[in-house]
Amino acid sequence: TSQLWARSFAPDYYQSYKDENSLHIPNRLGFSTVSWGEPKRGFVEDSEDAKKKGNFDPEDCQNAYNMLLDAGIAFVDTSENFGKGMRPNSLSAEEILGTCVKDTSSDFDPMIASSFQARFRLGNRDTVCNTAEETLARMGTPSMTLYQVRPSLASTIGIGALAQGMVDAIDEGFCEYVGMIDANRGKLQAMRRALDKRDETLTSNQFEFSLVNRKKEALIAHCKRAEVIPLIRNPFGSDGLGSGIWTSEDPTGGGKGRRFSDKVLEKWEPLHSMLFRIVEKVQKRAPTTSGGGRELKDFKAKKYEKKKESVVITPPMIAINYIVAKGGVPLVDVYDTETAKQLLGCLGWSLTDEEIIQLEQAAELSAM
């Protein structure tokens, strides 16, 4: 039972996972609302416009949200900055998420994480509580599971005031746990010490990591030793290069449009080829259904036809489960049922040690 409300979850394949701390994230998977309310990412208000290829609307977000919660993927990451330009229309990411929570058809409760994203903002210890309260007002929810801040705020108000503001947010009931975004080892240790003096702990650290950007691999290990959950955003790389959707053989990503030059795709051909090779291996041991008993429809690559007896494994699923295998919790950009199915397809299987090594070798070869 949560400190704030009772929760129930769908099947959890990682129920016995040795968690870093008391926050257990079901299935070690999360989804991000980074695209919600963002016209540049394809968001539209009108459902007629959403029917155009590549666009999505609030109803698509709702359907994806319901699908993921039903399957046991309950951890959702949002931010005060996501879709901020749509606030006049009450369609920022936080506001859309609040509507999803209120109108969901799912029987399961979400674990909501939001964040104070301002890199530099004058203020004091009350700033953290004030922004957390504003976030809750936009979502229309009484509390959230996790509230995250950037360490840069400490440069204006001091590490002690920032830590106290985080503790105050917990004491006020605005959140159950607190975390950081893009904290390096030094800032992570400083915040842990500051919170420890106030009888509180740091729960998470969110940063980028993927097969095409492995610079912070050591930070994952450091977080786990420090009993801090590594939350991984952009698990395909910031531009999607590590998803295996865009390749030298399919530069338009199955009709999604050109995103990379031929030179870039040829450079990363070793990794993309390995992703497809491992897809074939995993497919042979894939579960018959995705979590919640929902069968996945086929990936939009002609090579992978729908099979009634098993989940159709795709390259993005390999990239996502690579993050899980490295000890991180991937936060996957999901905005409609098709992107939701890519995340659902990660349930019920894992990569072998040999497959992890093969992916990393291919990534290193591509990066040369």
Side-chain angles (χ1 to χ4, degrees):
T1 302
S2 162
Q3 299 171 19
L4 302 164
W5 58 70
R7 282 199 188 102
S8 56
F9 292 116
D12 180 4
Y13 291 97
Y14 281 78
Q15 189 171 9
S16 59
Y17 185 84
K18 187 177 180 181
D19 294 313
E20 295 85 350
N21 49 56
S22 62
L23 176 58
H24 175 74
I25 297 178
N27 292 302
R28 296 292 288 186
L29 294 170
F31 63 104
S32 170
T33 66
V34 65
S35 293
W36 297 16
E38 294 284 356
K40 290 182 179 180
R41 289 175 173 264
F43 176 79
V44 292
E45 296 181 57
D46 191 281
S47 60
E48 289 300 316
D49 289 335
K51 292 178 182 177
K52 297 176 183 177
K53 192 169 186 179
N55 289 341
F56 65 97
D57 66 1
E59 184 178 356
D60 291 314
C61 297
Q62 180 78 68
N63 292 336
Y65 174 91
N66 294 344
M67 183 180 290
L68 291 172
L69 256 67
D70 280 344
I73 300 177
F75 189 85
V76 51
D77 181 65
T78 191
S79 167
E80 64 171 2
N81 277 4
F82 296 170
K84 189 174 181 178
M86 295 298 287
R87 279 189 195 169
N89 298 357
S90 299
L91 288 172
S92 68
E94 289 179 330
E95 289 164 316
I96 296 171
L97 179 57
T99 300
C100 288
V101 173
K102 183 180 68 173
D103 295 343
T104 185
S105 60
S106 176
D107 294 328
F108 305 109
D109 293 326
M111 302 176 73
I112 298 175
S114 192
S115 55
F116 178 19
Q117 282 280 357
R119 294 174 183 271
F120 299 97
R121 184 186 295 182
L122 295 176
N124 51 43
R125 57 181 274 187
D126 295 332
T127 303
V128 178
C129 268
N130 291 341
T131 55
E133 190 171 20
E134 290 166 4
T135 278
L136 293 174
R138 283 188 290 272
M139 292 193 294
T141 56
S143 183
M144 56 189 140
T145 300
L146 174 69
Y147 195 55
Q148 307 158 95
V149 302
R150 287 186 175 274
S152 54
L153 186 59
S155 65
T156 60
I157 67 174
I159 187 73
L162 180 56
Q164 187 59 55
M166 295 162 76
V167 172
D168 290 344
I170 294 175
D171 291 343
E172 290 292 330
F174 297 149
C175 59
E176 295 180 71
Y177 301 92
V178 289
M180 301 193 80
I181 295 177
D182 290 330
N184 59 26
R185 291 180 61 168
K187 290 190 167 66
L188 201 69
Q189 291 169 344
M191 180 54 73
R192 289 180 66 223
R193 287 194 295 267
L195 287 172
D196 186 59
K197 290 179 181 177
R198 294 161 175 81
D199 296 319
E200 195 52 74
T201 58
L202 184 68
T203 295
S204 65
N205 185 26
Q206 182 185 142
F207 52 93
E208 292 192 31
F209 177 76
S210 68
L211 278 164
V212 294
N213 179 12
R214 297 170 56 225
K215 295 177 182 178
K216 294 184 178 179
E217 183 172 358
L219 186 56
I220 293 179
H222 176 74
C223 284
K224 295 185 79 65
R225 286 194 298 271
E227 300 181 337
V228 172
I229 302 171
L231 298 176
I232 307 300
R233 69 177 183 275
N234 294 331
F236 305 135
S238 58
D239 49 13
L241 181 61
S243 67
I245 293 176
W246 292 269
T247 67
S248 57
E249 292 185 2
D250 186 6
T252 66
K256 296 179 184 295
R258 267 191 172 270
R259 188 176 290 188
F260 308 98
S261 67
D262 289 341
K263 184 177 180 180
V264 168
L265 293 176
E266 288 169 6
K267 172 182 170 64
W268 287 93
E269 194 276 334
L271 174 61
H272 295 155
S273 294
M274 184 57 67
L275 283 169
F276 278 88
R277 283 177 57 189
I278 293 179
V279 160
E280 294 176 358
K281 292 182 181 180
V282 174
Q283 188 64 68
K284 295 176 181 177
R285 62 177 191 269
T288 55
T289 58
S290 154
R294 296 176 180 270
E295 184 176 323
L296 296 185
K297 294 182 180 178
D298 47 327
F299 177 52
K300 290 183 178 179
K302 294 180 180 178
K303 188 173 181 180
Y304 300 102
E305 297 178 355
K306 182 177 178 180
K307 296 183 178 181
K308 293 182 179 180
E309 70 277 8
S310 63
V311 172
V312 178
I313 303 301
T314 68
M317 295 175 193
I318 303 297
I320 293 168
N321 261 345
Y322 169 74
I323 303 298
V324 178
K326 298 300 288 186
V329 176
L331 305 175
V332 182
D333 182 15
V334 170
Y335 46 84
D336 59 14
T337 55
E338 288 305 309
T339 49
K341 288 169 189 171
Q342 289 295 321
L343 188 51
L344 292 182
C346 298
L347 293 169
W349 60 273
S350 57
L351 294 169
T352 66
D353 291 342
E354 180 184 14
E355 289 163 349
I356 294 167
I357 292 171
Q358 290 173 334
L359 285 168
E360 292 180 339
Q361 290 175 339
E364 289 172 6
L365 182 61
S366 296
M368 290 177 63

